[in-house]
């Protein structure tokens, strides 16, 4: 095996998500092309044995090496992908095989840094690598991660989070964003930008852009809340106070707040603001509306309120967001 480049180990196990495994190596391979020399990273897929590993997509992958063989070999980056199961009712749950957790814990002890892809954060958590840290994972399993590991500060919104030498990524496609961030840390943003161009991606989504849009959040189990969500969307330009929503749902304000926190993990006011930011994002991407117009039709009423909401939710401004994500040919 070549000794050129930073040594990256991708953990393999049966049921692993295929894109979690293949996405980062593609980014690292493009780095080698951009540098024009056999440097950058050398990637190896490691498993318990050299037998083929069957991914969640049914595609079989051959490991390059075993966990035993790479132990103590100077791992620069340990990449941990994830795996999920879906029950008969469509609920998603992250999996963490104890044997894999033990191997990750052992390998992480000698790696310069550790990064999880998507629900791989649950493996890091079970290995004790996220205790006292801030971390993210796919939005569908964020509540599971928080419930099972109260010592972790789980933030389901960012695409990726770095907490010292541990990185966690969100949805499956966010593995590309995470990989680009690793390239930027190791080789500089100018090089990472060249790789991003090859991928037809932005080097950084502004401010760790939210990994999901409000309309794509999990459907609640309460018909009343679903009706309220549709009511909010239909009347997004209106004041939409908590008192108005409570009256619409025929419950008290405190009860409404409890229901929202249980079903959607946020207060009614926070959900309303998230919904308005989502509508504003769409308008900034697809229209030439002035910021004043966007603020009005989305219920913010003033540009100052619009700007403050964008800074809270996306850590960027509406103008920067439009410059990054506005589609061409809009009008």
């Amino acid at each position: 095996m070549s000794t050129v480049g930073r040594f990256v180990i991708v953990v393999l196990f049966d049921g692993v998500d295929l894109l979690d495994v293949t996405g980062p190596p593609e980014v690292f391979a493009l780095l080698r092309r951009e540098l024009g020399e056999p440097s950058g990273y050398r990637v190896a897929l490691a498993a318990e044995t050299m037998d083929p590993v069957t991914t969640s997509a049914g595609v079989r992958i051959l490991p390059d090496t075993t966990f035993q063989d790479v132990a103590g070999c100077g791992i620069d980056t340990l990449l941990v992908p994830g795996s999920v199961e879906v029950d008969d009712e469509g609920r998603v749950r992250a999996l963490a095989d104890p044997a894999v957790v033990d191997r990750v814990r052992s390998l992480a002890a000698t790696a310069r840094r550790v990064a999880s892809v998507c629900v791989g954060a649950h493996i890091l958590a079970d290995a004790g690598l996220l205790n006292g840290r801030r971390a993210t994972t796919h939005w569908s399993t964020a509540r599971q991660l928080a419930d099972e590991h109260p010592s972790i500060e789980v933030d389901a919104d960012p695409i990726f989070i770095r907490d010292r030498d541990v990185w966690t990524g969100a949805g499956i496609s966010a593995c590309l964003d995470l990989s680009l961030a690793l390239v930027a840390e190791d080789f500089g943003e100018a090089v990472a930008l060249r790789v991003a161009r090859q991928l037809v991606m932005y080097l950084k989504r502004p401010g760790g852009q939210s990994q999901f849009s409000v309309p794509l959040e999990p459907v609640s189990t309460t018909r009343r809340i679903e009706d309220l969500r549709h009511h909010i969307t239909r009347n997004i330009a209106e004041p939409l106070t908590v008192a108005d929503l409570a009256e619409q749902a025929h419950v008290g304000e405190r009860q409404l707040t409890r229901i929202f926190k249980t079903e959607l993990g946020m207060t009614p006011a926070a959900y309303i603001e998230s919904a308005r930011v989502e509508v504003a994002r769409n308008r900034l991407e697809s229209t030439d509306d002035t910021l004043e117009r966007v603020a009005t039709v989305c219920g913010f009423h003033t540009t100052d309120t619009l700007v403050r909401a964008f800074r809270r939710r996306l850590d960027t401004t509406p103008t920067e967001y439009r410059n990054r994500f506005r589609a061409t040919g809009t009008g």
Side-chain angles (χ1 to χ4, degrees):
M1 187 180 296
S2 170
T3 59
V4 177
R6 298 169 186 261
F7 192 26
V8 178
I9 288 296
V10 181
V11 174
L12 285 187
F13 49 89
D14 281 330
V16 68
D17 284 329
L18 179 60
L19 188 56
D20 285 6
V21 174
T22 59
E26 285 291 341
V27 174
F28 300 148
L30 287 173
L31 169 68
R32 180 177 300 177
R33 180 195 303 176
E34 287 300 321
L35 292 178
E37 56 187 50
S39 60
Y41 301 97
R42 56 188 179 99
V43 180
L45 309 183
E48 190 63 40
T49 71
M50 293 298 290
D51 295 334
V53 169
T54 303
T55 68
S56 60
V59 176
R60 296 200 302 171
I61 298 178
L62 287 175
D64 298 306
T65 185
T66 66
F67 296 138
Q68 184 71 33
D69 288 342
V70 298
C73 287
I75 299 172
D76 178 82
T77 305
L78 181 68
L79 276 177
V80 182
S83 178
V84 299
E85 64 178 0
V86 182
D87 65 21
D88 293 338
E89 297 180 3
R91 290 174 298 202
V92 177
R93 184 170 183 80
L95 302 176
D97 186 312
V100 175
V101 170
D102 287 343
R103 284 297 192 179
V104 167
R105 184 186 297 113
S106 177
L107 293 174
T110 60
R112 180 176 70 89
R113 67 183 171 197
V114 179
S116 65
V117 182
C118 197
V119 298
H122 293 259
I123 297 176
L124 298 190
D126 280 9
L129 301 175
L130 298 181
N131 291 340
R133 298 178 189 263
R134 180 168 169 259
T136 192
T137 186
H138 193 276
W139 58 262
S140 65
T141 67
R143 184 172 296 179
Q144 175 192 346
L145 184 62
D147 289 345
E148 294 179 353
H149 301 277
S151 66
I152 301 172
E153 182 186 347
V154 179
D155 188 343
D157 203 36
I159 289 172
F160 62 83
I161 289 175
R162 176 189 182 185
D163 191 326
R164 289 159 284 172
D165 57 347
V166 178
W167 300 62
T168 50
I172 296 175
S173 63
C175 67
L176 303 180
D177 296 271
L178 174 62
S179 301
L180 283 170
L182 298 177
V183 170
E185 181 186 47
D186 295 340
F187 297 93
E189 294 204 358
V191 173
L193 178 59
R194 285 155 53 190
V195 176
R197 285 172 177 160
Q198 291 289 338
L199 292 165
V200 196
M201 289 179 62
Y202 292 101
L203 172 57
K204 293 180 180 177
R205 305 185 192 186
Q209 183 188 358
S210 176
Q211 62 170 296
F212 62 89
S213 301
V214 169
L216 298 181
E217 289 175 0
V219 176
S220 69
T221 58
T222 304
R223 180 71 259 170
R224 178 163 46 194
I225 294 298
E226 282 301 293
D227 290 342
L228 281 177
R229 291 175 67 179
H230 292 305
H231 175 76
I232 290 168
T233 302
R234 290 193 302 267
N235 298 279
I236 201 71
E238 304 303 318
L240 292 174
T241 65
V242 175
D244 292 337
L245 293 182
E247 182 178 353
Q248 178 81 15
H250 305 294
V251 297
E253 292 183 38
R254 293 178 63 181
Q255 183 180 356
L256 181 73
T257 297
R258 285 196 297 270
I259 294 172
F260 261 80
K261 285 184 176 180
T262 300
E263 294 291 329
L264 301 177
M266 63 181 75
T267 65
Y271 181 84
I272 291 169
E273 182 176 83
S274 295
R276 284 178 169 151
V277 167
E278 179 62 24
V279 175
R281 285 168 58 179
N282 290 336
R283 296 194 74 88
L284 290 169
E285 292 173 11
S286 60
T287 76
D288 290 322
D289 287 352
T290 64
L291 294 188
E292 290 80 3
R293 175 63 179 167
V294 171
T296 298
V297 300
C298 297
F300 290 113
H301 302 299
T302 69
T303 55
D304 286 344
T305 306
L306 173 68
V307 170
R308 287 196 297 269
F310 261 65
R311 288 199 180 279
R312 266 192 303 272
R313 297 287 165 183
L314 304 177
D315 196 24
T316 188
T317 66
T319 298
E320 182 182 3
Y321 185 90
R322 169 172 269 168
N323 289 339
R324 292 287 189 96
F325 291 97
R326 183 178 181 276
T328 59
T330 58

